[in-house]
Amino acid sequence: MSIVRAFAADFSVYAASRIIAATAWVATVWVLTSNLAPSQYAQFWQVFTLVTGTASLATSWLVTAQRRFYARFEKNNELHSYVETSVVSAKICLGLSLVVFVIFLGANWAYDLVVLDFTQWMGTAIAFVLCIIFLIYCGHLIAARKPRQYLLFSAGQSILLLAALYTALNFAGGNGVTWSVVVFAASYGIFLLVAGWHEHVAGTDLWSRVVLLWNERALGYSTEYLRFGLPLVLMNLAFLLSNLGTQIIVQNLHSASAAGIYAAYYAPIERIVGFVTAIAATALIPLLANHWEQGHQRQALRFLGLVILATTTATGAIAAIIVIAGDAFASNMVGTEYLSGVELIAPTAVSCFLFGIASIIADVLIIKRRTLLLALMFVVAVVIGLTTAVVIVPEQAALGGAYARVVSSLASVVLVGGAAVFVVWRDFSVNRRGRMGLGKS
């Protein structure tokens, strides 16, 4: 199967998964905003961002390394080493993540960064652990190019969360934020039980190897994973700070209500505008890594260029449709208390479009294993955006947060795009000089 056909096959399944998950999330935002006041929604959104953002941050080095290096294990007929490496790496990931989470709890109690009661914090902690394990398993499915199984887990978890939230908020009564947090955690736990059953039926030994304490060979591979992936942790930390940090800036420099309105618009628009680039990034890295390991580097980079062009066009079209149909989008997307934020739609769509371009260009540096350079470019862009937010939010409230994200995303395109062009040009220039015998003796 050619790289184009393989990409098309994977893309179609991942597209179905993303569409289902995005549709479910749009409905979830409607359920939440219809049952929670803006200040309550801001509170739950902080939990959601903390759990999913921090878990994605914590697992980014591992799941990206799985996707980048799986082809090498497969080529060398060492898939057993891949499984053991994933298990050892997952234990390292979970252990370090829990330490950081405990540190954050201490900082939160000292400075009241996120206001939750004891029950809500316990639910948040459980959701955090389950989300990490869930993301690692989904990363394994992507690395092994099992898109149909990934469809089951990613889309299924979103649908289950929607159904459970609707039931809890409409029929359970009581504290809406607490019920939302509990349901959020349960949606991961149920699908991890499904994963265990699936692996047992398939006859694989993935779960049985979880009992391994340490494996010297696997630990060596895990060290390689860490060298490759740790810069991506820094990059995703920057993304988390950009998302959660912008909301906190709006809340502290203006109001909790404005922060809730900002979150209500940014969440669905980010998923709708970014779903094409998210699908492409999901399908691309395993395929490109496979061709790279087989020695077809030029073909891989040419195809990546075509994908960048196609995804940029599609993402721009989606963003334009959302801006043109802004009023209809708002009336069907959020509750009536949030309609005053309709002016956020245009800048939010633009910022998500620009960030989508930067994120797909970033695959060039991932395939080239230049993850440290990639991380530094995104960190600089985020610092620029947060600085802008601090300056303009006091006067422009939630709209200022949206404009700050535009500035940050534009900086990402310029910095990451420039770095990718420089790396590719330099490497090809060095190779050409080598073939001509012009290198240093």
Side-chain angles (χ1 to χ4, degrees), residues 56-357:
S56 296
L57 165 68
T59 58
S60 59
W61 66 274
L62 175 52
V63 298
T64 307
Q66 286 176 315
R67 292 156 65 186
R68 177 61 185 86
F69 293 109
Y70 181 88
R72 189 182 69 183
F73 285 104
E74 187 176 43
K75 177 185 176 183
N76 297 333
N77 196 28
E78 292 183 328
L79 290 182
H80 62 286
S81 295
Y82 160 79
V83 173
E84 293 176 354
T85 301
S86 296
V87 170
V88 171
S89 298
K91 291 178 178 180
I92 295 172
C93 178
L94 186 58
L96 293 176
S97 301
L98 287 175
V99 170
V100 173
F101 190 81
V102 170
I103 293 173
F104 176 82
L105 282 180
N108 183 79
W109 287 330
Y111 298 104
D112 289 329
L113 300 174
V114 179
V115 181
L116 300 175
D117 61 29
F118 179 79
T119 302
Q120 292 164 352
W121 268 118
M122 290 302 97
T124 300
I126 294 171
F128 178 64
V129 171
L130 295 177
C131 184
I132 285 177
I133 301 172
F134 181 85
L135 290 177
I136 292 173
Y137 185 72
C138 287
H140 156 69
L141 295 177
I142 295 171
R145 292 192 60 221
K146 296 181 178 180
R148 290 179 178 82
Q149 289 90 328
Y150 177 83
L151 170 63
L152 168 66
F153 284 91
S154 64
Q157 186 268 338
S158 299
I159 294 172
L160 178 62
L161 176 60
L162 169 62
L165 278 173
Y166 179 83
T167 302
L169 293 177
N170 282 280
F171 301 108
N175 190 314
V177 176
T178 298
W179 274 109
S180 298
V181 172
V182 170
V183 165
F184 181 41
S187 67
Y188 289 119
I190 291 172
F191 269 89
L192 286 174
L193 292 176
V194 174
W197 173 82
H198 176 265
E199 292 295 329
H200 174 72
V201 171
T204 62
D205 61 353
L206 178 62
W207 294 110
S208 65
R209 298 196 188 207
V210 171
V211 300
L212 290 174
L213 294 178
W214 294 106
N215 178 296
E216 185 174 349
R217 182 177 178 86
L219 186 58
Y221 285 133
S222 294
T223 302
E224 183 178 6
Y225 276 18
L226 283 165
R227 285 197 300 267
F228 170 84
L230 280 180
L232 299 177
V233 176
L234 176 64
M235 180 183 76
N236 283 282
L237 176 60
F239 296 159
L240 176 62
L241 291 176
S242 181
N243 194 355
L244 187 59
T246 302
Q247 185 186 344
I248 291 175
I249 288 171
V250 173
Q251 178 171 316
N252 291 335
L253 297 185
H254 200 273
S255 67
S257 179
I261 291 173
Y262 167 83
Y265 280 90
Y266 189 84
I269 292 176
E270 179 188 34
R271 283 160 176 77
I272 294 172
V273 173
F275 89 95
V276 172
T277 51
I279 298 164
T282 300
L284 261 177
I285 293 180
L287 285 170
L288 292 178
N290 182 62
H291 277 66
W292 201 268
E293 295 296 334
Q294 298 295 331
H296 307 307
Q297 289 89 350
R298 286 182 176 272
Q299 180 187 8
L301 289 175
R302 282 197 300 268
F303 179 69
L304 179 57
L306 292 175
V307 172
I308 291 173
L309 177 62
T311 53
T312 298
T313 303
T315 302
I318 293 171
I321 291 172
I322 289 178
V323 172
I324 293 171
D327 290 336
F329 179 87
S331 61
N332 289 282
M333 186 66 59
V334 299
T336 55
E337 292 183 80
Y338 297 78
L339 292 178
S340 62
V342 67
E343 62 184 354
L344 300 177
I345 291 177
T348 300
V350 171
S351 69
C352 293
F353 164 67
L354 293 172
F355 182 78
I357 296 173

